[in-house]
Amino acid sequence: MVSFAELTQMNLSPEILAELQKYATPTGVADYAALAIIAGVSAGYLSRGTLWDKPDPHYHLYFERPQLKNGGQAGLNSNKETRNIAKKLEDTGKNIVVFWGSQSGTAEGFANRLAREISIRWGQECMSADLSDYDPVTISEIPNSKLAIFIVSTYGEGDPADNTAEFWSWITKTGDVSLANLQYTAFGLGNSNYKFYNKVVDVIVEGLEKFGAKALMPLGKANDAEGATEEDFMAWKDSLFTVFKDKLGFTEVEAQYVPSLKVEEDESLEPIDLHHGEPNSQVDASKGAAQSSPIRSLSIVNSRELFTSSDRNCLHMDVDLSNQPELTYKTGDHLAIWPTNPDSEVERLLELLGLASRRDVPVFIRPVDAATKITLPTPTSAIALLRYYLEICAPVNRDNVRDLAQFAPTPEAKTYLTHLGQDKDFYAEFINRTHLTLDRLLQLACPGHTWTKIPLSYLVETLPHIRPRYYSISSSSVVSPRKPSITAIVSTTPLPENPSELVHGITSNYLLAISQQAHSQPHPHGVSYHLNGPSDALAGGKVFAHIRRSKFKLPITAKTPLIMVGAGTGLAPFRAFLSERCQVQKIGKEVGQMILFFGCRNPEEDFIYRDELQEMQETLGDKLRLVAAFSRYEDTPRQYVQDRVSEFGEEVVKLIDEGASFYICGRAGMAREVEKAVSGTMQKTKGWTEDEVNNWSKAVKKKNKWQEDVWG
């Protein structure tokens, strides 16, 4: 309310002031009553929280989650961790750090194993460290009394893992840093089927050397193309330990398991407090936030078999995003599926560990050491760990075979495991006869006994954690924006020396079980899964999944010619590309010339999407040429896509000269052979030297005119 005195200060005319005064001055009982009410309400409002409506000091208890007390996951992360690795080493009393850069989890697993073994066998204070958790520049502050070990993977076209990107950018772009105090050694994981084999570790070592870091031993490398990654790592590790003994003067001690974390039962917790198997989206959030969507439970609304073969399966699945408006995809992206371990493996392992009757008892996972990072959801339960969080179907490596001997229930089992873990040739021969999962190993080593001495903490520390499997999306976001599809071949591999024993790929057989259930049929090999998921979150044919952005994209201009080469399920993204080009042409826009090279065994069994491709051919007319290669068809000579690329070399070169974008999807070995075929044709057609071809290859890749989406 404005007083008359305040009105007189507004430079109003006398006439207006006189009129306003009539309304500004109370004239009756009603006006005074209104003023009293307004004054009372104002006073009451101003006294809120002091005279009335005082806050309840226990109000927060309504929202407090008991699992965050006494070591719960959020409680562990409540204090912000330092991003200075030198300070972290100093604060935790560590003198060795094993950095890891990992895309699929292998390098991470190696780093954790190495850090654990250094601590146990050599009595050294050691920690493993995610490269993305620390500011790269702080590596320069590590004193020469400490040691840094780098274990990093290379994937794709010489790309670093997501969690290596920040360090990679720093080591390749910084120019004003000294690493003269840094002692280091490094090990790289790669695949010689890729052109840029182990490029990441090579570049990192080059950068470290340039800034003055001192290598304790030669660089080590693993080659997955030869299936030797595990043995390559162990050979390098043995060389490292020789350096520990001979150069650093470390003393080896008797190796006994010393846990870096505790897994303790707590029956006071209720089921609502637990993580029952939902994927832990927080662990990798900082690394892949820009590349990946949130993890959600998504419905599979349509699944069908693409093969006509009775002994092989290939699935087409449509996934529904309708109830997840924040999830979107673009043509060429990937869909990540989070798998579940099969029931038989889970139940057998629970029995062998003596945990069957306590499978649902709540457990907390807590670090023993401040440097240990908990990467699994906690609190949880034994059944959730074995079903959803740990790779219990992965082969047991020799290190773990040897370590398991200390928990053996009989002297005979201890002797057997020690021999198997120490004898490289015996181990290699053994795994050719059986798929050496943990439960099978325990059964073979000591039939009829339970292994109650194995701590659950040991399994959490040593078994790989379940990771998502990535599938190229085989639909166009223009044609089917809310229902991306994937194309998944089901992996069922007979053992070389025992063909009757089948090794079932975890994720593809999980998807097959979902598909079979939708058609009211059992899995063809009797493999079963807990398809309803944790807390029935996946009931009705759902999967936990997320979308990962990809660089494997169509050109912006639809007029750009395309050359596409795919074998098997490598056809998936090209189905999406062609579907989108068909749609563009239907709305009256011009599309460029296209040629698709596709390879499979024979046209009668595994020529996937054949009818659809023929329809697209009719729609696009002479804008599309389909060229097939069959490797096992009747009595005809074997042909592979690279052979057909060479056969149509002149047309390929012509499209390249017209500005075509070149795409390859499939196995890395195939991609390498296709590139050789194109390079050979370019040399022959243009009369180029090998150097000229190499320069051309580098140029087109730099311009994203040559793209690959390859694996293995």
Side-chain angles (χ1 to χ4, degrees):
M1 182 177 290
V2 180
S3 68
F4 182 72
E6 291 172 320
L7 289 172
T8 61
Q9 297 174 6
M10 296 182 181
N11 297 319
L12 301 174
S13 66
E15 293 80 3
I16 294 176
L17 284 171
E19 187 65 24
L20 288 173
Q21 187 177 12
K22 297 178 183 178
Y23 301 98
T25 304
T27 58
V29 175
D31 286 346
Y32 283 108
L35 285 171
I37 292 171
I38 292 171
V41 171
S42 300
Y45 178 80
L46 293 173
S47 65
R48 182 185 180 188
T50 55
L51 299 179
W52 68 284
D53 194 24
K54 294 182 180 180
D56 181 355
H58 304 292
Y59 182 69
H60 68 282
L61 295 178
Y62 287 107
F63 305 97
E64 188 172 88
R65 295 173 63 194
Q67 66 264 39
L68 303 186
K69 294 180 178 181
N70 304 319
Q73 191 172 35
L76 294 172
N77 298 326
S78 58
N79 295 323
K80 189 175 181 180
E81 289 283 344
T82 178
R83 285 185 54 80
N84 185 316
I85 184 58
K87 185 176 187 304
K88 181 72 172 183
L89 292 172
E90 187 66 30
D91 290 348
T92 56
K94 306 297 182 185
N95 59 351
I96 300 177
V97 56
V98 186
F99 290 110
W100 56 267
S102 186
Q103 193 70 17
S104 65
T106 305
E108 179 184 1
F110 283 165
N112 291 334
R113 277 169 59 187
L114 181 60
R116 194 164 49 247
E117 192 166 354
I118 290 172
S119 300
I120 293 172
R121 283 183 61 182
W122 297 94
Q124 299 296 314
E125 293 294 330
C126 184
M127 64 175 281
S128 65
D130 181 336
L131 275 168
S132 66
D133 284 345
Y134 299 95
D135 292 325
V137 71
T138 63
I139 290 175
S140 64
E141 300 175 26
I142 298 176
N144 59 12
S145 59
K146 301 183 187 296
L147 172 65
I149 301 173
F150 295 86
I151 300 180
V152 293
S153 64
T154 299
Y155 80 101
E157 286 293 296
D159 298 319
D162 291 342
N163 77 308
T164 314
E166 183 182 5
F167 179 78
W168 172 267
S169 179
W170 176 77
I171 201 73
T172 55
K173 295 178 182 178
T174 190
D176 185 22
V177 67
S178 172
L179 298 178
N181 287 327
L182 185 68
Q183 290 191 98
Y184 83 95
T185 184
F187 183 77
L189 284 74
N191 186 316
S192 60
N193 282 329
Y194 292 85
K195 185 173 183 179
F196 298 99
Y197 167 62
N198 262 312
K199 176 183 176 181
V200 172
V201 75
D202 284 337
V203 170
I204 286 175
V205 167
E206 181 182 337
L208 294 172
E209 294 287 329
K210 180 175 68 174
F211 298 126
K214 301 176 184 66
L216 281 179
M217 59 182 286
L219 167 65
K221 294 182 179 180
N223 187 0
D224 196 47
E226 299 173 356
T229 297
E230 181 68 39
E231 290 299 333
D232 288 342
F233 170 71
M234 293 183 69
W236 172 81
K237 177 166 63 72
D238 288 343
S239 298
L240 174 64
F241 289 167
T242 300
V243 170
F244 280 2
K245 181 179 179 181
D246 297 343
K247 188 178 289 190
L248 300 182
F250 293 168
T251 302
E252 189 171 3
V253 298
E254 184 180 355
Q256 290 186 333
Y257 173 61
V258 178
S260 61
L261 52 83
K262 295 179 181 179
V263 180
E264 300 173 327
E265 292 185 350
D266 186 345
E267 297 191 64
S268 68
L269 295 172
E270 298 294 329
I272 195 173
D273 302 323
L274 306 183
H275 297 273
H276 295 281
E278 305 82 359
N280 187 8
S281 58
Q282 297 304 312
V283 172
D284 295 321
S286 61
K287 308 171 202 172
Q291 292 80 26
S292 299
S293 74
I295 302 168
R296 296 288 184 264
S297 59
L298 304 177
S299 296
I300 294 174
V301 292
N302 174 44
S303 65
R304 66 180 191 271
E305 176 63 55
L306 297 176
F307 284 177
T308 59
S309 171
S310 59
D311 60 344
R312 299 168 65 218
N313 297 92
C314 185
L315 302 172
H316 171 94
M317 290 183 153
D318 294 319
V319 181
D320 191 0
L321 305 181
S322 300
N323 295 325
Q324 306 293 341
E326 77 277 23
L327 264 58
T328 59
Y329 80 99
K330 297 295 183 183
T331 305
D333 284 344
H334 299 125
L335 187 75
I337 302 292
W338 292 78
T340 296
N341 286 317
D343 293 337
S344 58
E345 301 282 346
V346 174
E347 293 301 325
R348 192 156 53 231
L349 194 51
L350 283 169
E351 291 289 344
L352 284 165
L353 297 172
L355 294 173
S357 62
R358 303 190 65 77
R359 66 179 64 204
D360 297 314
V361 175
V363 295
F364 261 120
I365 305 173
R366 297 185 177 91
V368 172
D369 190 322
T372 301
K373 185 178 179 182
I374 304 298
T375 57
L376 289 179
T378 183
T380 183
S381 62
I383 185 66
L385 285 169
L386 299 185
R387 180 175 282 157
Y388 298 109
Y389 293 137
L390 300 176
E391 291 268 15
I392 64 172
C393 295
V396 184
N397 60 66
R398 278 203 297 125
D399 277 348
N400 287 353
V401 171
R402 185 192 62 230
D403 291 345
L404 283 166
Q406 64 189 297
F407 307 119
T410 67
E412 294 77 14
K414 182 175 183 178
T415 301
Y416 177 79
L417 290 176
T418 301
H419 176 51
L420 182 60
Q422 291 179 343
D423 190 323
K424 175 182 176 180
D425 294 333
F426 179 48
Y427 174 84
E429 187 271 336
F430 185 82
I431 61 173
N432 276 332
R433 290 186 283 107
T434 183
H435 183 56
L436 196 63
T437 56
L438 179 59
D439 60 300
R440 294 184 186 190
L441 176 63
L442 300 183
Q443 281 184 313
L444 287 167
C446 199
H449 285 75
T450 55
W451 293 65
T452 54
K453 294 180 182 178
I454 300 179
L456 198 50
S457 60
Y458 176 83
L459 301 183
V460 173
E461 287 186 74
T462 57
L463 291 180
H465 297 174
I466 281 185
R467 301 274 181 161
R469 274 60 166 183
Y470 292 95
Y471 294 89
S472 298
I473 293 178
S474 54
S475 57
S476 162
S477 57
V478 171
V479 178
S480 181
R482 304 308 299 161
K483 289 184 180 178
S485 65
I486 60 172
T487 309
I489 191 164
V490 179
S491 173
T492 302
T493 309
L495 289 171
E497 294 190 13
N498 187 8
S500 63
E501 185 175 358
L502 302 176
V503 180
H504 300 287
I506 298 301
T507 309
S508 60
N509 280 276
Y510 169 58
L511 292 175
L512 178 59
I514 295 173
S515 177
Q516 294 292 96
Q517 183 189 57
H519 296 94
S520 301
Q521 295 178 352
H523 188 285
H525 300 289
V527 184
S528 64
Y529 298 82
H530 189 67
L531 296 182
N532 281 357
S535 305
D536 290 336
L538 304 179
K542 295 181 180 180
V543 292
F544 285 122
H546 70 267
I547 291 165
R548 184 176 70 178
R549 306 303 173 203
S550 168
K551 298 177 183 177
F552 198 75
K553 299 296 184 186
L554 279 166
I556 296 175
T557 305
K559 293 181 182 179
T560 303
L562 306 179
I563 303 167
M564 299 162 283
V565 185
T569 54
L571 179 61
F574 303 137
R575 175 183 183 263
F577 284 11
L578 292 175
S579 176
E580 189 155 316
R581 281 285 173 98
C582 286
Q583 186 67 18
V584 169
Q585 179 165 291
K586 285 177 182 178
I587 63 175
K589 291 188 177 182
E590 184 180 351
V591 299
Q593 198 70 35
M594 292 163 282
I595 182 168
L596 169 65
F597 296 94
F598 170 68
C600 63
R601 293 184 180 183
N602 70 69
E604 296 174 358
E605 292 184 0
D606 58 355
F607 195 141
I608 59 176
Y609 300 119
R610 186 176 186 178
D611 293 341
E612 290 186 23
L613 289 174
Q614 289 175 347
E615 290 178 11
M616 292 177 184
Q617 173 77 82
E618 293 173 5
T619 299
L620 294 166
D622 60 4
K623 290 292 185 178
L624 173 64
R625 180 194 288 271
L626 298 175
V627 181
F630 305 117
S631 62
R632 303 183 193 179
Y633 184 45
E634 295 179 348
D635 297 325
T636 60
R638 291 194 174 196
Q639 277 192 323
Y640 299 96
V641 285
Q642 58 265 29
D643 301 322
R644 301 291 268 164
V645 169
S646 294
E647 183 182 338
F648 285 80
E650 290 186 7
E651 185 170 345
V652 168
V653 172
K654 179 176 180 293
L655 286 179
I656 289 173
D657 288 341
E658 293 173 0
S661 290
F662 202 111
Y663 299 89
I664 307 176
C665 185
R667 293 200 169 273
M670 177 273 289
R672 183 183 59 185
E673 294 303 317
V674 168
E675 185 169 358
K676 284 182 182 178
V678 174
S679 297
T681 302
M682 296 294 279
Q683 281 184 285
K684 180 180 178 181
T685 305
K686 296 180 176 292
W688 283 355
T689 65
E690 189 173 334
D691 285 343
E692 287 175 316
V693 171
N694 288 336
N695 290 335
W696 166 80
S697 177
K698 291 177 183 177
V700 293
K701 289 177 180 178
K702 189 174 182 179
K703 296 176 183 177
N704 285 328
K705 298 292 288 182
W706 183 293
Q707 298 182 40
E708 297 180 4
D709 185 1
V710 298
W711 56 87

